[in-house]
Amino acid sequence: MSPKNKLTAEQREELLGTLKARFEEHIDRHEWMNWDKIQEKLEANPDKLWSLHEMERTGGEPDVLEFDEAKNEYVFYDCAAESPSGRRSVCFDQKALDSRKKNKPENSAMAMANDMGIELLTEEQYRVLQQHGTFDVKTSSWVQTPEDIRDRGGALFCDSRYGHVFLYHNGADSYYAARGFRGLVRV
């Protein structure tokens, strides 16, 4: 882990406090999980803790939604009500960013996710998220896109309207103030 990706003791304690408070506030998302075991895993994985800090810093409000028994991993998703505010107005990936001649966004969803050490949600994971609340009723979020769609210049995004989750397509180079991306990190 590079020094720039390392949290100070104060940042670490503040983040653990925030994550624990969110865990307790939304116990219905994971009532069968034990916070002490989660914190133990977090403390043993400072690189993952740094990624969670980046999720929090950009407005994602990460919370643990799943436990992968086969891999012995807790899975934290962005659980902010709307697409994280610090990750909006981005196109899909670097190829899309490079293809724009005018009015380029500052970054792409894939590059930001990579820099943060997180994965963009798949459509299936986005639907799992929606089982734990109602998210993206005013915004939308880029999701992982199959290569055959991306090779043709497209990318996928999801939102929630009228009590349903919708999957859409757009040019990968498009970007909107109300579209960002959601991610997850496995610990």
Side-chain angles (χ1 to χ4, degrees):
M1 190 164 75
S2 77
K4 78 171 195 159
N5 294 356
K6 189 172 182 180
L7 299 179
T8 66
E10 183 179 323
Q11 288 173 317
R12 185 180 144 289
E13 291 308 312
E14 183 178 340
L15 178 61
L16 287 170
T18 298
L19 294 173
K20 181 179 182 182
R22 186 172 296 126
F23 179 88
E24 292 171 350
E25 181 181 347
H26 299 283
I27 197 69
D28 56 306
R29 294 175 179 164
H30 37 243
E31 56 193 29
W32 49 273
M33 292 186 201
N34 178 295
W35 174 255
D36 292 335
K37 289 182 180 181
I38 295 168
Q39 184 167 336
E40 186 178 307
K41 289 274 272 189
L42 289 170
E43 289 175 344
N45 291 281
D47 56 329
K48 303 296 184 169
L49 200 55
W50 180 84
S51 293
L52 286 163
H53 178 265
E54 289 300 286
M55 291 170 79
E56 185 70 28
R57 183 184 65 78
T58 57
E61 299 179 20
D63 198 8
V64 62
L65 297 185
E66 297 179 312
F67 179 72
D68 184 334
E69 288 187 35
K71 295 180 180 180
N72 190 33
E73 293 176 330
Y74 294 97
V75 186
F76 283 80
Y77 283 66
D78 283 311
C79 292
E82 301 298 338
S83 195
S85 60
R87 296 186 237 152
R88 295 186 197 162
S89 296
V90 294
C91 61
F92 185 71
D93 60 11
Q94 190 63 43
K95 183 179 174 184
L97 186 61
D98 293 343
S99 74
R100 288 194 69 99
K101 302 300 180 216
K102 298 190 305 188
N103 303 317
K104 287 187 178 209
E106 289 185 29
N107 211 337
S108 74
M110 294 297 287
M112 287 182 76
N114 185 58
D115 290 347
M116 295 168 67
I118 67 174
E119 304 169 37
L120 246 69
L121 298 183
T122 64
E123 176 190 358
E124 179 182 336
Q125 291 162 338
Y126 189 89
R127 291 181 185 280
V128 166
L129 170 70
Q130 292 289 353
Q131 293 172 9
H132 295 278
T134 303
F135 303 93
D136 285 341
V137 295
K138 296 178 184 173
T139 58
S140 60
S141 296
W142 290 114
V143 294
Q144 289 185 33
T145 299
E147 275 188 50
D148 62 327
I149 295 173
R150 185 60 199 97
D151 289 345
R152 292 177 171 94
L156 301 177
F157 65 96
C158 292
D159 65 22
S160 178
R161 304 292 194 270
Y162 313 109
H164 292 276
V165 174
F166 290 92
L167 173 70
Y168 305 93
H169 62 89
N170 212 178
D173 64 345
S174 66
Y175 67 99
Y176 301 94
R179 181 172 310 143
F181 72 92
R182 291 176 180 275
L184 63 79
V185 65
R186 300 169 186 277
V187 184

